[in-house]
Amino acid sequence: MAVPKKRTSKAKTKIRRSIWKGKANKIALKAFSLAKCILTNRSKSFYYVINRELADSSESDSPDGK
């Protein structure tokens, strides 16, 4: 069975953990930014399907009855 020869120092452990958390934070911010763009209909790089049934029903509910 393979075992490490020496114990990893606390400094090295903290450095690795901060890198890992930094990457996760960057990905989370990017996902949150994309979600905000989609919700505010300002997304230019993300395509999604609009439910046609909802779109058609809102057009038929117009006040002039056309």
Side-chain angles (χ1 to χ4, degrees):
M1 186 166 93
V3 293
K5 292 187 176 182
K6 292 186 176 182
R7 183 180 174 144
T8 305
S9 67
K10 285 188 178 183
K12 196 173 279 191
T13 303
K14 284 185 178 183
I15 289 169
R16 289 181 180 151
R17 186 174 292 151
S18 68
I19 291 171
W20 183 80
K21 285 187 175 186
K23 287 181 183 179
N25 190 29
K26 185 178 178 182
I27 292 170
L29 284 175
K30 195 178 281 191
F32 187 67
S33 175
L34 179 62
K36 284 198 305 187
C37 285
I38 291 170
L39 288 175
T40 58
N41 294 326
R42 292 189 299 164
S43 177
K44 295 179 181 174
S45 62
F46 188 77
Y47 299 99
Y48 50 95
V49 178
I50 298 174
N51 192 347
R52 283 285 162 210
E53 292 175 1
L54 292 175
D56 292 340
S57 65
S58 65
E59 290 174 2
S60 65
D61 292 339
S62 60
D64 45 323
K66 290 184 181 178

